[in-house]
Amino acid sequence: MTTLSFVAHQDDDLLFMNPDIASDVWDGQDVWIVYLTAGDIPHRPGSSYGGIQYAEMRLDGVRAAYAKTAGVANNWHYEPMTFGGHPVPTNRLAGTNVHIVYTYVHAAAGPEDNFGDLWRLLNVPGFTAKPIDGRPAYTYAEFVGMIRGIIDHVGPGFIRTGSSIGHREGDHIDHTAAAILVADASTDDHGRTAVRRFEYTGYRVLNLPENISGFLRDKKTEIWDEYWPHDPELNQWSWRAAMSRRYAPDGRIFHPGVPWVPPGDFASSVA
């Protein structure tokens, strides 16, 4: 089977979807992870990093994390691809079926930017998102077309995203926007779900009971420990509570044929 996971930032998969993606890797499945923003932050006064430099640090972190997951050397092949007419950078982990895809679209990074380009694509008519690596800009239709192109190319058995109602639960604005954009892209011409989709809970998992223990918790932690040293915004104590939690609620599973109706309160809840 092929699995396809869409997240906003380079750590959402490790924090909120693992150990599920790790299990796909261990099973030898064809695994694709797509980062729908650059995960960037501005260069702030007194800081030595920001912008695309910080985005690349985080990508180095997920590369190390997936090499650890697969139990192979941290050796990736760069594979430029085109989806929906847009050039998109991808990497494949040598000797495995693990692929990462990244768009370099601006993330929401308050207080300088509390909204981010994914929210603007959904809510600002005529907005175009300009990737920070200089690739061609996206309109809403082009970004959804790019996502649809990935889905068509990969042909997944199912899709993972964050929660499309996460804004109601205090989640990051990018998490919600990314989930809505993927849901929009994975429907048919009649607005019905075309590919089975699982939505995962984001920040709210920290307030939910522990539901991962033993071997899986230890492995999730080992993988996380490969990521965070690459991210200067984190330290060894960051997100430890997430290591024993992972929630994909039954009520947020969309099967083929199920109508998709975007949440009508997303724009107003954050504007």
Side-chain angles (χ1 to χ4, degrees), residues 18-97:
N18 260 354
D20 293 4
I21 298 176
S23 295
D24 295 343
V25 175
W26 300 332
D27 289 343
Q29 297 181 23
D30 196 7
V31 175
W32 291 72
I33 305 99
V34 183
Y35 302 101
L36 289 176
T37 78
D40 55 312
I41 58 175
H43 279 280
R44 293 170 175 146
S47 175
S48 62
Y49 58 86
I52 196 166
Q53 176 194 18
Y54 179 61
E56 294 291 355
M57 289 176 174
R58 301 185 76 180
L59 285 168
D60 284 344
V62 295
R63 292 184 187 107
Y66 281 104
K68 177 69 172 182
T69 304
V72 299
N74 188 12
N75 180 21
W76 295 77
H77 298 304
Y78 176 69
E79 297 179 343
M81 304 183 79
T82 300
F83 300 114
H86 270 258
V88 179
T90 80
N91 291 151
R92 180 177 60 83
L93 181 58
T96 75
N97 294 318

Coordinates of all heavy atoms in Angstrom, one line a residue, residues 18-97:
N18 N 2.7 10.3 14.2 CA 3.5 9.1 14.7 C 2.9 8.6 15.9 O 2.3 9.3 16.7 CB 5.0 9.5 14.9 CG 5.8 9.1 13.7 OD1 5.4 8.4 12.8 ND2 7.1 9.5 13.8
P19 N 3.0 7.2 16.1 CA 3.8 6.2 15.4 C 3.2 5.7 14.1 O 3.7 4.7 13.5 CB 4.0 5.1 16.4 CG 2.7 5.1 17.2 CD 2.3 6.6 17.3
D20 N 2.1 6.2 13.6 CA 1.4 5.7 12.5 C 2.2 5.7 11.2 O 2.3 4.7 10.5 CB 0.1 6.4 12.2 CG -0.9 6.1 13.3 OD1 -0.6 5.5 14.3 OD2 -2.1 6.6 13.2
I21 N 2.9 6.8 10.9 CA 3.7 6.9 9.7 C 4.9 6.0 9.9 O 5.3 5.3 8.9 CB 4.1 8.4 9.4 CG1 2.9 9.2 9.1 CG2 5.1 8.4 8.2 CD1 3.2 10.7 8.9
A22 N 5.5 6.0 11.1 CA 6.6 5.1 11.3 C 6.3 3.7 11.0 O 7.1 2.9 10.5 CB 7.1 5.3 12.7
S23 N 5.1 3.3 11.4 CA 4.6 1.9 11.2 C 4.5 1.6 9.7 O 4.9 0.5 9.3 CB 3.3 1.7 11.9 OG 3.4 1.8 13.3
D24 N 4.1 2.6 8.9 CA 4.1 2.4 7.4 C 5.5 2.1 6.9 O 5.7 1.3 6.1 CB 3.6 3.7 6.8 CG 2.1 3.9 7.1 OD1 1.4 3.0 7.6 OD2 1.7 5.1 6.8
V25 N 6.5 2.9 7.4 CA 7.9 2.7 7.0 C 8.4 1.3 7.4 O 9.0 0.6 6.6 CB 8.8 3.8 7.6 CG1 10.2 3.6 7.2 CG2 8.3 5.2 7.1
W26 N 8.1 0.9 8.6 CA 8.6 -0.4 9.1 C 7.9 -1.5 8.3 O 8.5 -2.6 8.1 CB 8.2 -0.6 10.6 CG 8.9 0.5 11.4 CD1 10.1 1.1 11.2 CD2 8.4 0.9 12.7 NE1 10.3 2.0 12.2 CE2 9.3 1.9 13.2 CE3 7.2 0.7 13.5 CZ2 9.1 2.6 14.4 CZ3 7.1 1.4 14.6 CH2 8.0 2.3 15.1
D27 N 6.7 -1.3 7.8 CA 6.0 -2.3 7.0 C 6.5 -2.4 5.6 O 6.0 -3.2 4.8 CB 4.5 -2.1 7.0 CG 3.9 -2.4 8.4 OD1 4.6 -3.1 9.2 OD2 2.8 -1.9 8.6
G28 N 7.4 -1.4 5.2 CA 7.9 -1.4 3.8 C 7.0 -0.8 2.8 O 7.1 -1.0 1.6
Q29 N 6.0 0.0 3.3 CA 5.1 0.6 2.4 C 5.7 1.8 1.7 O 6.8 2.3 2.1 CB 3.8 1.1 3.2 CG 3.0 -0.1 3.8 CD 1.8 0.3 4.5 OE1 1.3 1.4 4.3 NE2 1.4 -0.5 5.5
D30 N 5.1 2.2 0.6 CA 5.5 3.4 -0.1 C 4.9 4.6 0.6 O 3.7 4.8 0.7 CB 4.9 3.3 -1.6 CG 5.6 4.3 -2.5 OD1 6.7 4.9 -2.1 OD2 5.2 4.5 -3.7
V31 N 5.8 5.4 1.2 CA 5.4 6.4 2.2 C 5.8 7.8 1.6 O 6.9 8.1 1.3 CB 6.1 6.2 3.5 CG1 5.8 7.4 4.5 CG2 5.7 4.9 4.1
W32 N 4.8 8.7 1.5 CA 5.0 10.1 1.1 C 4.5 11.0 2.2 O 3.4 10.8 2.7 CB 4.2 10.3 -0.2 CG 4.7 9.6 -1.4 CD1 4.6 8.3 -1.7 CD2 5.4 10.2 -2.5 NE1 5.1 8.0 -2.9 CE2 5.6 9.1 -3.4 CE3 5.8 11.5 -2.8 CZ2 6.3 9.4 -4.6 CZ3 6.4 11.7 -4.1 CH2 6.7 10.6 -4.9
I33 N 5.3 12.0 2.5 CA 5.0 13.1 3.4 C 5.2 14.4 2.7 O 6.2 14.7 2.2 CB 5.8 13.0 4.7 CG1 5.8 11.6 5.4 CG2 5.4 14.1 5.7 CD1 7.0 10.8 5.0
V34 N 4.1 15.2 2.8 CA 4.1 16.5 2.1 C 4.0 17.6 3.2 O 3.1 17.7 4.0 CB 3.0 16.7 1.1 CG1 3.1 18.0 0.4 CG2 3.0 15.5 0.1
Y35 N 5.0 18.6 3.1 CA 5.0 19.7 4.0 C 4.5 20.9 3.2 O 5.1 21.4 2.3 CB 6.4 20.0 4.5 CG 7.0 18.8 5.3 CD1 7.9 17.9 4.7 CD2 6.5 18.5 6.6 CE1 8.4 16.8 5.4 CE2 7.0 17.4 7.2 CZ 7.9 16.5 6.6 OH 8.4 15.4 7.3
L36 N 3.3 21.4 3.6 CA 2.6 22.4 2.8 C 3.0 23.8 3.0 O 2.6 24.7 2.4 CB 1.1 22.2 3.0 CG 0.5 21.0 2.3 CD1 -1.0 20.9 2.6 CD2 0.7 21.0 0.8
T37 N 3.9 24.1 4.0 CA 4.5 25.4 4.2 C 6.0 25.2 4.3 O 6.5 24.0 4.5 CB 4.0 26.2 5.4 OG1 4.7 25.6 6.6 CG2 2.5 26.1 5.6
A38 N 6.7 26.3 4.3 CA 8.2 26.2 4.5 C 8.5 26.0 6.0 O 9.6 25.7 6.3 CB 8.8 27.5 4.0
G39 N 7.5 26.2 6.9 CA 7.8 26.2 8.3 C 8.7 27.3 8.7 O 9.4 27.1 9.7
D40 N 8.7 28.4 8.0 CA 9.7 29.4 8.2 C 9.3 30.4 9.3 O 8.1 30.5 9.7 CB 9.9 30.2 6.9 CG 8.6 30.8 6.3 OD1 7.6 30.0 6.2 OD2 8.6 32.0 6.0
I41 N 10.2 31.1 9.8 CA 9.9 32.3 10.7 C 10.8 33.4 10.3 O 11.8 33.2 9.6 CB 10.3 31.9 12.2 CG1 11.7 31.5 12.4 CG2 9.3 30.9 12.8 CD1 12.2 31.3 13.8
P42 N 10.5 34.7 10.6 CA 11.3 35.8 10.2 C 12.6 35.8 10.9 O 12.8 35.2 11.9 CB 10.4 37.0 10.6 CG 9.1 36.5 10.8 CD 9.2 35.1 11.3
H43 N 13.6 36.5 10.3 CA 14.8 36.8 11.0 C 14.5 37.9 12.1 O 14.1 39.0 11.7 CB 15.9 37.4 10.0 CG 16.6 36.4 9.3 ND1 17.7 35.6 9.8 CD2 16.4 35.9 8.0 CE1 18.1 34.8 8.9 NE2 17.4 34.9 7.8
R44 N 14.6 37.5 13.3 CA 14.2 38.4 14.4 C 15.5 39.1 15.0 O 16.6 38.5 14.9 CB 13.5 37.6 15.5 CG 12.1 37.2 15.0 CD 11.4 36.2 15.9 NE 10.1 35.9 15.4 CZ 9.5 34.7 15.5 NH1 10.1 33.7 16.1 NH2 8.3 34.5 15.1
P45 N 15.3 40.2 15.6 CA 16.5 40.9 16.2 C 17.3 40.0 17.2 O 16.6 39.3 18.0 CB 15.9 42.1 16.9 CG 14.6 42.4 16.2 CD 14.1 41.0 15.8
G46 N 18.6 39.9 17.0 CA 19.4 39.1 17.9 C 19.4 37.6 17.5 O 20.2 36.8 18.1
S47 N 18.7 37.2 16.5 CA 18.6 35.8 16.0 C 19.6 35.6 14.9 O 19.7 36.4 14.0 CB 17.2 35.4 15.6 OG 17.2 34.1 15.1
S48 N 20.2 34.4 14.8 CA 21.1 34.1 13.7 C 20.5 33.3 12.6 O 21.2 32.8 11.7 CB 22.3 33.4 14.3 OG 21.9 32.1 14.9
Y49 N 19.2 33.0 12.7 CA 18.5 32.2 11.8 C 17.1 32.7 11.5 O 16.5 33.5 12.3 CB 18.4 30.8 12.2 CG 17.7 30.6 13.6 CD1 16.3 30.5 13.6 CD2 18.4 30.6 14.8 CE1 15.7 30.4 14.9 CE2 17.8 30.5 16.0 CZ 16.4 30.4 16.0 OH 15.7 30.3 17.2
G50 N 16.5 32.3 10.4 CA 15.2 32.7 10.0 C 15.0 32.5 8.5 O 16.0 32.1 7.8
G51 N 13.8 32.7 8.0 CA 13.6 32.5 6.5 C 13.9 31.2 6.0 O 13.7 30.1 6.7
I52 N 14.4 31.1 4.8 CA 14.7 29.8 4.2 C 15.8 29.0 4.9 O 15.8 27.8 4.9 CB 15.0 29.9 2.7 CG1 14.9 28.6 2.0 CG2 16.4 30.6 2.5 CD1 14.8 28.7 0.5
Q53 N 16.7 29.7 5.6 CA 17.7 29.0 6.4 C 17.1 28.2 7.5 O 17.5 27.0 7.7 CB 18.7 30.1 7.0 CG 19.7 29.4 7.9 CD 20.4 30.5 8.7 OE1 19.9 31.6 8.9 NE2 21.6 30.1 9.3
Y54 N 16.1 28.7 8.2 CA 15.4 28.0 9.2 C 14.6 26.9 8.6 O 14.5 25.8 9.2 CB 14.5 28.9 10.0 CG 13.8 28.3 11.1 CD1 14.4 27.6 12.2 CD2 12.4 28.3 11.1 CE1 13.7 27.0 13.2 CE2 11.7 27.7 12.2 CZ 12.3 27.0 13.2 OH 11.6 26.4 14.2
A55 N 13.9 27.1 7.5 CA 13.2 26.1 6.8 C 14.1 24.9 6.5 O 13.7 23.7 6.7 CB 12.5 26.6 5.6
E56 N 15.3 25.2 6.0 CA 16.2 24.1 5.6 C 16.7 23.3 6.9 O 16.9 22.1 6.8 CB 17.4 24.7 4.9 CG 17.0 25.2 3.5 CD 16.6 24.1 2.5 OE1 16.7 22.9 2.8 OE2 16.2 24.5 1.4
M57 N 16.9 24.1 8.0 CA 17.3 23.4 9.2 C 16.2 22.3 9.6 O 16.5 21.2 10.0 CB 17.4 24.4 10.4 CG 18.6 25.3 10.3 SD 18.5 26.5 11.7 CE 20.1 27.4 11.5
R58 N 14.9 22.7 9.5 CA 13.9 21.8 9.8 C 13.8 20.7 8.9 O 13.5 19.5 9.3 CB 12.5 22.6 9.9 CG 12.5 23.8 10.9 CD 11.2 24.4 11.0 NE 10.3 23.6 11.8 CZ 9.0 24.0 12.1 NH1 8.5 25.1 11.6 NH2 8.3 23.2 12.8
L59 N 14.0 20.9 7.6 CA 14.0 19.8 6.6 C 15.2 18.9 6.9 O 15.0 17.6 6.8 CB 14.1 20.4 5.2 CG 12.9 21.0 4.6 CD1 13.1 21.7 3.4 CD2 11.8 19.9 4.4
D60 N 16.3 19.4 7.3 CA 17.4 18.5 7.8 C 17.0 17.6 8.9 O 17.3 16.4 9.0 CB 18.6 19.3 8.2 CG 19.4 19.9 7.0 OD1 19.2 19.4 5.8 OD2 20.2 20.8 7.2
G61 N 16.1 18.2 9.8 CA 15.7 17.5 11.0 C 14.7 16.3 10.6 O 14.9 15.2 11.1
V62 N 13.8 16.6 9.6 CA 12.9 15.5 9.3 C 13.7 14.4 8.4 O 13.4 13.2 8.5 CB 11.7 16.0 8.5 CG1 10.8 16.8 9.4 CG2 12.0 16.7 7.2
R63 N 14.7 14.8 7.7 CA 15.5 13.8 7.0 C 16.2 12.9 7.9 O 16.2 11.7 7.8 CB 16.5 14.5 6.1 CG 15.9 15.3 4.9 CD 16.9 15.9 4.0 NE 16.4 16.7 2.9 CZ 16.5 18.1 2.9 NH1 17.2 18.7 3.9 NH2 15.9 18.8 2.0
A64 N 16.7 13.5 9.0 CA 17.4 12.7 10.0 C 16.4 11.8 10.7 O 16.7 10.6 11.0 CB 18.1 13.6 11.0
A65 N 15.2 12.3 11.0 CA 14.2 11.5 11.7 C 13.7 10.3 10.8 O 13.5 9.2 11.4 CB 13.0 12.4 12.0
Y66 N 13.5 10.5 9.5 CA 13.0 9.4 8.7 C 14.1 8.4 8.4 O 13.9 7.2 8.2 CB 12.3 9.9 7.5 CG 10.9 10.4 7.8 CD1 10.6 11.7 7.9 CD2 9.9 9.4 8.0 CE1 9.3 12.1 8.2 CE2 8.7 9.8 8.4 CZ 8.4 11.2 8.5 OH 7.1 11.6 8.8
A67 N 15.4 8.9 8.4 CA 16.5 7.9 8.3 C 16.5 7.0 9.5 O 16.7 5.8 9.4 CB 17.8 8.6 8.1
K68 N 16.3 7.6 10.7 CA 16.3 6.9 11.9 C 15.1 5.9 11.9 O 15.2 4.7 12.3 CB 16.1 7.8 13.1 CG 16.0 7.1 14.5 CD 17.2 6.5 14.9 CE 17.2 6.0 16.3 NZ 18.4 5.3 16.8
T69 N 14.0 6.3 11.4 CA 12.8 5.5 11.3 C 13.1 4.3 10.5 O 12.7 3.1 10.9 CB 11.6 6.3 10.7 OG1 11.4 7.5 11.5 CG2 10.3 5.4 10.7
A70 N 13.7 4.5 9.3 CA 13.9 3.4 8.4 C 15.1 2.6 8.8 O 15.3 1.5 8.2 CB 14.1 4.0 7.0
G71 N 16.0 3.0 9.7 CA 17.2 2.3 10.0 C 18.2 2.3 9.0 O 18.9 1.3 8.8
V72 N 18.3 3.4 8.2 CA 19.3 3.5 7.1 C 20.1 4.8 7.3 O 19.8 5.6 8.1 CB 18.6 3.4 5.7 CG1 17.9 2.1 5.6 CG2 17.7 4.6 5.5
A73 N 21.2 4.9 6.5 CA 22.0 6.1 6.5 C 21.1 7.3 6.1 O 20.2 7.2 5.3 CB 23.2 5.9 5.6
N74 N 21.5 8.5 6.6 CA 20.7 9.7 6.2 C 21.2 10.2 4.9 O 21.9 11.2 4.8 CB 21.0 10.7 7.3 CG 20.1 12.0 7.2 OD1 19.2 12.0 6.4 ND2 20.5 13.0 7.9
N75 N 20.8 9.5 3.8 CA 21.3 9.8 2.5 C 20.0 9.9 1.6 O 19.3 9.0 1.3 CB 22.2 8.7 2.0 CG 22.7 8.9 0.6 OD1 22.7 10.0 0.1 ND2 23.1 7.8 -0.1
W76 N 19.8 11.1 1.1 CA 18.6 11.4 0.3 C 18.9 11.9 -1.1 O 19.9 12.6 -1.3 CB 17.8 12.6 1.0 CG 17.3 12.2 2.3 CD1 17.9 12.1 3.5 CD2 15.9 11.8 2.7 NE1 17.1 11.8 4.5 CE2 15.9 11.6 4.1 CE3 14.7 11.7 1.9 CZ2 14.7 11.2 4.7 CZ3 13.6 11.4 2.5 CH2 13.5 11.1 3.9
H77 N 18.1 11.4 -2.0 CA 18.2 11.8 -3.4 C 17.2 13.0 -3.7 O 16.0 12.8 -3.4 CB 18.0 10.7 -4.4 CG 18.9 9.5 -4.2 ND1 20.3 9.7 -4.3 CD2 18.7 8.2 -3.9 CE1 20.9 8.5 -4.1 NE2 20.0 7.6 -3.9
Y78 N 17.7 14.0 -4.3 CA 16.9 15.2 -4.7 C 16.2 14.8 -6.0 O 16.8 14.4 -7.0 CB 17.7 16.4 -4.9 CG 16.9 17.6 -5.4 CD1 15.9 18.2 -4.6 CD2 17.1 18.1 -6.7 CE1 15.2 19.3 -5.0 CE2 16.4 19.2 -7.1 CZ 15.4 19.8 -6.3 OH 14.7 20.8 -6.8
E79 N 14.9 14.9 -6.0 CA 14.1 14.6 -7.2 C 13.1 15.7 -7.5 O 12.0 15.7 -7.0 CB 13.4 13.2 -7.0 CG 14.3 12.0 -6.8 CD 13.6 10.7 -6.6 OE1 12.4 10.7 -6.2 OE2 14.2 9.7 -6.7
P80 N 13.4 16.6 -8.4 CA 12.5 17.6 -8.8 C 11.3 17.0 -9.6 O 11.5 16.2 -10.5 CB 13.3 18.6 -9.6 CG 14.4 17.8 -10.2 CD 14.7 16.8 -9.1
M81 N 10.1 17.4 -9.2 CA 8.9 16.8 -9.9 C 8.0 18.0 -10.2 O 8.1 19.1 -9.7 CB 8.3 15.8 -9.0 CG 9.2 14.6 -8.6 SD 8.4 13.3 -7.7 CE 7.6 12.4 -9.0
T82 N 7.0 17.7 -11.0 CA 6.0 18.7 -11.4 C 4.6 18.1 -11.1 O 4.3 17.0 -11.5 CB 6.1 19.1 -12.9 OG1 7.4 19.6 -13.1 CG2 5.0 20.1 -13.3
F83 N 3.8 18.9 -10.3 CA 2.5 18.4 -9.9 C 1.5 19.6 -10.3 O 1.7 20.7 -9.8 CB 2.4 18.1 -8.5 CG 3.3 17.0 -8.0 CD1 4.3 17.3 -7.1 CD2 3.1 15.7 -8.5 CE1 5.2 16.3 -6.7 CE2 4.0 14.7 -8.1 CZ 5.0 15.0 -7.2
G84 N 0.5 19.3 -11.0 CA -0.5 20.3 -11.4 C 0.2 21.5 -12.1 O -0.3 22.6 -12.0
G85 N 1.3 21.2 -12.9 CA 1.9 22.2 -13.7 C 2.9 23.0 -12.9 O 3.6 23.9 -13.4
H86 N 3.1 22.7 -11.6 CA 4.0 23.5 -10.7 C 5.3 22.6 -10.4 O 5.1 21.5 -9.9 CB 3.4 23.9 -9.4 CG 2.7 25.3 -9.6 ND1 3.2 26.4 -9.1 CD2 1.5 25.6 -10.2 CE1 2.4 27.4 -9.4 NE2 1.4 27.0 -10.0
P87 N 6.5 23.2 -10.5 CA 7.7 22.5 -10.1 C 7.7 22.4 -8.6 O 7.6 23.4 -7.9 CB 8.8 23.3 -10.7 CG 8.2 24.7 -10.8 CD 6.8 24.5 -11.1
V88 N 7.9 21.2 -8.0 CA 7.9 21.0 -6.6 C 9.2 20.2 -6.2 O 9.4 19.1 -6.8 CB 6.7 20.3 -6.1 CG1 6.7 20.1 -4.6 CG2 5.4 21.1 -6.5
P89 N 10.0 20.6 -5.2 CA 11.1 19.8 -4.8 C 10.7 18.6 -4.0 O 9.8 18.7 -3.1 CB 12.0 20.7 -4.0 CG 11.0 21.7 -3.5 CD 9.9 21.9 -4.5
T90 N 11.3 17.4 -4.3 CA 11.1 16.2 -3.5 C 12.4 15.6 -3.1 O 13.4 15.8 -3.8 CB 10.1 15.2 -4.2 OG1 10.9 14.5 -5.1 CG2 9.0 15.9 -4.9
N91 N 12.4 14.7 -2.1 CA 13.5 13.9 -1.7 C 13.1 12.5 -1.5 O 12.0 12.2 -1.0 CB 14.2 14.4 -0.4 CG 14.9 15.7 -0.5 OD1 15.0 16.4 0.5 ND2 15.4 16.1 -1.7
R92 N 13.9 11.5 -1.9 CA 13.7 10.1 -1.6 C 14.9 9.6 -0.8 O 16.0 9.8 -1.1 CB 13.5 9.3 -2.9 CG 13.3 7.8 -2.6 CD 13.1 7.0 -3.9 NE 14.2 7.1 -4.8 CZ 15.3 6.3 -4.7 NH1 15.4 5.4 -3.7 NH2 16.3 6.5 -5.6
L93 N 14.5 8.9 0.3 CA 15.5 8.3 1.2 C 16.1 7.1 0.5 O 15.4 6.1 0.1 CB 14.9 7.9 2.5 CG 15.8 7.3 3.6 CD1 17.0 8.2 3.9 CD2 15.0 6.9 4.8
A94 N 17.5 7.1 0.3 CA 18.1 6.1 -0.5 C 17.9 4.7 0.1 O 18.0 4.5 1.3 CB 19.6 6.4 -0.5
G95 N 17.5 3.8 -0.8 CA 17.3 2.4 -0.4 C 16.0 2.1 0.3 O 15.7 1.0 0.8
T96 N 15.1 3.1 0.2 CA 13.8 3.0 0.8 C 12.7 3.5 -0.1 O 13.0 4.0 -1.2 CB 13.6 3.8 2.1 OG1 13.5 5.2 1.9 CG2 14.9 3.5 3.0
N97 N 11.4 3.4 0.3 CA 10.3 4.0 -0.4 C 9.7 5.2 0.3 O 8.5 5.4 0.3 CB 9.2 2.9 -0.5 CG 9.6 1.8 -1.4 OD1 10.2 2.0 -2.5 ND2 9.3 0.5 -1.0

